Amino acid sequence: MRILIVEDDKLLGDGLVRYLQQAGYVTEIATSGTEADAVLANEEYDLVILDIGLPGMDGFEVLRRLRRRQRYVPVLVLTARDTLDDRVHGLNLGADDYLVKPFALLELEARIRAVVRRGQASNGNRIVHGPLVVDTGARRAWLDDIPLRLTAREWNVLEFLILREGKMVSKDQIVSAISSSDDEISQNSVEVHISRLRAKLEPAGLKIHSIRGFGYYLDLKASTPG
Amino acid sequence: MTSKPAPQVSVRRLLFRWLLLPLASLLALNVAVGYQIALYPAKAAYDWALMDTALSLSRLMAASGIGSGIPLSRSADILLRTDQYDRIYYSVHDAKGALLAGDYHLTPPQLESMTAGELLYDSVLDNENIRVAALRFMLHGKDAVVQVAETTVKRSRLTNQILTGLIASEMLLVVAVIILVWFGIGKGLAPLERLRAAIEARSHRDLRPVPEDHAPVEVQPVVHALNNLLGQLEGALQSQQQFIANAAHQLRTPLAGLRTQVEYGLQQRDPEEWHRILQALKPATERTAHLANQLLTLARAEVGAHQMSSRQPLDLRAVVESVAGDWLPQTIARDIDLGLELNPAPVLGDALLIGELLANLIDNAIRYTASGGRITVHTRMENDCAVLEVEDEGAGIPEAEREKVFQRFHRVDGSLGEGCGLGLAIVQEIAHLHGGHAEIRTPASGAGTLVMVRFPSAQENHG
């Protein structure tokens, strides 16, 4: 997976490149907005990590010009500015996620996976989550290369959790996501589906954590980049 | 705030309007009354003189036998008719209206109308206004009427003179009043002007109170209020200075630690030692980052106090749902059981700041809760307040410390040296900014800490 890092701070840029390379990503770095714009016009990447405060052309402008071109690339914005206006502005311009400096590298990696995954899932692609491989198009999943046997409802719950990986999911959300007009599902039956999913996933080290009184959270730590 | 500029208020103009307009009407009234008062005695004097002439004529007639065929002597006639300004007419009629002497065209009044014996009235003769004095008297044993009349030239002159004199003196008075009021107001406003100059001459750092005793009594409340404000500013400035001093210490210390470790590390050759140093650097950088965030949040909360525009209807429940997820990796890593018991709690607020408030509460709770412990976040409505609570199973905060922990840079004695002592100060600052209040309580279980933040509910504004 190819990532373009646009960051003018040498220490941070260098740290990101080294860490992400070690984590198995292919990285390139651009240290100014103009350079990033030129590179993005010619090369194709799977993800852009974009700083906003850049010399010359700022990150917002790079993003605006990138989105004017046809091909879609997920963009994760990094910024030291964290006012609501900045966030809204960035997301309005088409950023996929937003991370405020300073951040933990684990957090960055989780966001990268989530952003890329959302792009893949919307294209009906395969999602790789550590030992778990999910094909949203074919509605099939594999755990350690062994096909996972899931009921239709279990599949729906798993897909919902995978697509919101790294985010809290409430029981209400799951209920409304997997219920249809002729098939009303209760919170209790969600709990049943979750406990069955846990029984199938936990042997491979994948955990669905409970948030008391609220819902669930799919752990990221067991996963590695694809 | 309003788009229409407020009309300028001028004390001078105000005083002028309130002094001069009523004064002008009063002066006009004064002219009218003065005119009447001056005119009446003057006219009465002329009337008496006219009546005296009539009386003289009647005596002369009675004494000299005029009227029974003897005409009035030429000299008497001249005497009677002589006047500097007016023409004089006279006539004597008997009871039957027959002219006994004088001018035939002076019509006699009806005797019956002269019960008082004398009569003064205005009339017209030859298209001229005349004043007539008529006197009834006994002439040779018979009723007779003597009339003396004069044109009104000197009366008109008198009227004009009185009126001119009055108006001239009143005009003089008006001019004098205008000049006096103008300068008087100037004099009266001079202390204000001096006050303005004294305040304007100050530097923006000079927050000493303005001397109140030099100000006029009327302005003293204003000066007093100004001094109160200056006092508050000075207090705020001092606490800010104190804050900066504390912040400087808090920022420089971890940076000094980082630098020392880095410089030491560069002198080492042993990878084991490098790894140990890097391990030590990690929490230090995390603390510094945390502190920078805290300081910025505080600064933003202070700016927020002046910007009500970022406030919008939001639900504490939604804020918790959007923020709590950020802490899941930490609670999971420490095997802390996080519970969210969320009920609708609408408030009017800044989502980012309330998010920071919650982040600080959860951060504290995680910091002070042991592995395997429980943290619970509640949102609900209670007595018309939107309530946010974060409850942990940590060591708890002693009663005596529960107020102090909300002060900036205050750290509970014997607490783990982790936090920077700003978290709860930020919580309180943001709560106050929203008209709310934060307090420490003991959880129902009897152990740990419960921070309860109450906000005024936005419910009444929306339904």
Side-chain angles (χ1 to χ4, degrees):
Chain A
M1 203 170 110
R2 244 176 126 212
I3 300 179
L4 178 68
I5 299 165
V6 188
E7 172 60 67
D8 62 314
D9 184 90
K10 279 203 176 62
L11 196 61
L12 180 56
D14 183 62
L16 288 176
V17 167
R18 281 167 195 274
Y19 179 82
L20 291 176
Q21 273 175 356
Q22 202 169 49
Y25 296 99
V26 178
T27 59
E28 275 171 44
I29 188 155
T31 54
S32 77
T34 354
E35 186 190 341
D37 188 55
V39 172
L40 283 167
N42 298 314
E43 309 261 333
E44 290 195 352
Y45 296 91
D46 299 301
L47 175 75
V48 180
I49 296 176
L50 180 62
D51 182 28
I52 290 301
L54 292 169
M57 190 189 293
D58 79 0
F60 286 138
E61 184 57 29
V62 174
L63 181 57
R64 204 193 325 266
R65 294 170 64 94
L66 175 65
R67 286 293 178 247
R68 234 183 274 145
R69 297 183 198 112
Q70 287 307 308
R71 193 181 168 280
Y72 170 79
V73 178
V75 174
L76 176 59
V77 164
L78 296 185
T79 181
R81 296 191 278 189
D82 63 342
T83 65
L84 200 59
D85 280 351
D86 275 349
R87 277 182 211 214
V88 169
H89 189 45
L91 296 177
N92 280 345
L93 285 176
D96 295 84
D97 206 351
Y98 217 92
L99 207 53
V100 177
K101 295 178 190 174
F103 45 84
L105 286 168
L106 275 176
E107 174 78 8
L108 174 71
E109 233 193 309
R111 301 286 186 105
I112 290 173
R113 271 200 310 277
V115 164
V116 171
R117 186 148 304 163
R118 261 175 271 157
Q120 289 173 342
S122 61
N123 295 335
N125 283 338
R126 283 188 178 201
I127 299 170
V128 181
H129 184 100
L132 179 69
V133 177
V134 175
D135 188 330
T136 54
R139 291 174 64 83
R140 293 184 63 191
W142 294 263
L143 196 61
D144 288 326
D145 297 329
I146 301 161
L148 201 57
R149 298 176 67 87
L150 296 169
T151 66
R153 281 186 189 164
E154 282 167 14
W155 166 262
N156 286 340
V157 173
L158 178 65
E159 185 188 36
F160 193 76
L161 286 175
I162 288 274
L163 294 180
R164 279 154 195 80
E165 172 200 42
K167 290 198 165 82
M168 298 193 308
V169 178
S170 74
K171 283 180 201 168
D172 286 339
Q173 281 176 312
I174 298 176
V175 166
S176 54
I178 67 176
S179 289
S180 56
S181 54
D182 53 325
D183 187 14
E184 199 62 33
I185 284 161
S186 70
Q187 290 208 353
N188 285 340
S189 68
V190 168
E191 282 168 27
V192 171
H193 296 315
I194 290 279
S195 72
R196 284 188 190 146
L197 272 176
R198 274 181 178 150
K200 289 174 184 170
L201 297 177
E202 269 178 26
L206 280 176
K207 277 191 99 167
I208 301 170
H209 296 275
S210 289
I211 301 157
R212 181 160 36 86
F214 186 78
Y216 305 95
Y217 172 80
L218 184 61
D219 195 4
L220 298 161
K221 269 189 291 176
S223 56
T224 51
Chain B
M1 290 285 162
T2 51
S3 54
K4 209 168 69 180
Q8 288 236 320
V9 178
S10 156
V11 174
R12 183 169 255 142
R13 206 175 300 159
L14 221 63
L15 281 174
F16 249 76
R17 195 178 303 154
W18 280 100
L19 279 177
L20 285 187
L21 281 185
L23 203 62
S25 345
L26 278 177
L27 286 178
L29 191 67
N30 194 31
V31 169
V33 172
Y35 173 68
Q36 290 302 327
I37 289 173
L39 198 60
Y40 180 75
K43 278 191 165 174
Y46 283 132
D47 281 350
W48 291 331
L50 201 60
M51 188 57 80
D52 274 353
T53 310
L55 193 62
S56 306
L57 187 56
S58 72
R59 296 276 163 79
L60 183 69
M61 299 270 296
S64 60
I66 300 163
S68 49
I70 307 163
L72 198 66
S73 73
R74 171 124 183 97
S75 56
D77 187 69
I78 288 170
L79 203 66
L80 276 169
R81 289 190 190 274
T82 303
D83 191 289
Q84 209 177 336
Y85 301 104
D86 286 302
R87 261 197 312 285
I88 309 280
Y89 307 94
Y90 67 90
S91 68
V92 183
H93 289 85
D94 64 12
K96 293 184 186 107
L99 184 69
L100 301 177
D103 303 304
Y104 63 94
H105 49 311
L106 209 55
T107 333
Q110 295 294 311
L111 272 181
E112 301 82 62
S113 66
M114 295 185 61
T115 42
E118 52 183 62
L119 190 65
L120 282 159
Y121 62 95
D122 296 318
S123 185
V124 177
L125 187 68
D126 296 342
N127 290 327
E128 267 189 302
N129 286 321
I130 53 165
R131 182 76 176 165
V132 186
L135 183 69
R136 183 176 172 182
F137 70 111
M138 297 304 283
L139 186 60
H140 315 312
K142 287 180 205 159
D143 263 330
V145 177
V146 59
Q147 289 182 93
V148 181
E150 62 183 5
T151 51
T152 56
V153 173
K154 60 177 175 292
R155 285 163 196 266
S156 302
R157 270 178 68 102
L158 179 74
T159 308
N160 286 341
Q161 276 168 3
I162 291 174
L163 216 53
T164 321
L166 265 175
I167 291 175
S169 69
E170 299 283 357
M171 289 301 275
L172 218 65
L173 198 62
V174 166
V175 172
V177 164
I178 289 176
I179 292 170
L180 284 176
V181 167
W182 182 266
F183 283 104
I185 292 171
K187 266 266 185 262
L189 293 180
L192 263 186
E193 183 60 24
R194 278 199 298 278
L195 196 65
R196 181 196 64 80
I199 294 172
E200 211 161 61
R202 282 164 167 255
S203 94
H204 67 287
R205 292 178 186 280
D206 184 359
L207 295 179
R208 283 174 302 135
V210 178
E212 272 176 53
D213 38 348
H214 295 331
V217 179
E218 292 82 354
V219 186
Q220 268 180 14
V222 178
V223 178
H224 192 69
L226 180 68
N227 282 340
N228 274 347
L229 184 66
L230 285 174
Q232 282 173 20
L233 262 178
E234 175 133 52
L237 214 61
Q238 267 172 11
S239 73
Q240 197 133 34
Q241 297 285 358
Q242 183 63 41
F243 174 72
I244 289 169
N246 276 325
H249 169 78
Q250 296 280 334
L251 270 174
R252 283 181 175 146
T253 309
L255 286 174
L258 286 174
R259 190 168 168 176
T260 309
Q261 291 280 346
V262 168
E263 284 175 9
Y264 168 75
L266 286 173
Q267 291 169 356
Q268 306 306 307
R269 287 288 168 268
D270 177 9
E272 281 286 310
E273 192 64 3
W274 286 342
H275 195 254
R276 193 198 61 74
I277 290 166
L278 288 173
Q279 287 288 355
L281 288 184
K282 188 167 178 274
T285 55
E286 280 165 6
R287 271 205 301 282
T288 316
H290 178 68
L291 179 66
N293 282 338
Q294 298 287 68
L295 291 174
L296 287 171
T297 303
L298 262 183
R300 189 170 300 132
E302 276 180 359
V303 173
H306 310 290
Q307 294 177 334
M308 313 296 271
S309 56
S310 57
R311 238 159 261 200
Q312 45 194 281
L314 49 95
D315 198 321
L316 293 178
R317 172 188 192 157
V319 177
V320 174
E321 285 177 8
S322 68
V323 172
D326 298 346
W327 270 262
L328 285 172
Q330 285 186 54
T331 57
I332 288 165
R334 306 222 4 228
D335 194 23
I336 291 171
D337 172 16
L338 179 69
L340 304 180
E341 294 180 7
L342 308 179
N343 291 299
V347 296
L348 208 59
D350 181 321
L352 212 60
L353 285 176
I354 293 183
E356 289 286 353
L357 177 149
L358 179 68
N360 274 290
L361 290 179
I362 297 181
D363 194 52
N364 268 350
I366 293 173
R367 232 183 260 283
Y368 297 112
T369 298
S371 284
R374 285 156 69 104
I375 295 173
T376 310
V377 182
H378 304 263
T379 62
R380 62 173 184 279
M381 291 301 297
E382 189 180 294
N383 302 330
D384 285 338
C385 281
V387 175
L388 171 69
E389 278 178 353
V390 177
E391 183 182 344
D392 66 41
E393 293 182 333
I397 297 171
E399 287 278 354
E401 293 277 343
R402 288 187 179 179
E403 286 292 318
K404 290 187 209 154
V405 289
F406 288 110
Q407 291 167 11
R408 292 176 179 184
F409 295 112
H410 181 86
R411 285 157 74 179
V412 179
D413 278 343
S415 69
L416 311 158
E418 274 281 306
C420 57
L422 282 177
L424 286 173
I426 289 173
V427 167
Q428 192 65 282
E429 191 111 359
I430 294 173
H432 284 174
L433 194 62
H434 289 84
H437 186 74
E439 62 184 71
I440 310 273
R441 298 191 167 190
T442 307
S445 64
T449 305
L450 186 152
V451 186
M452 178 187 205
V453 191
R454 291 166 181 275
F455 295 94
S457 171
Q459 224 158 35
E460 56 263 50
N461 301 338
H462 297 277

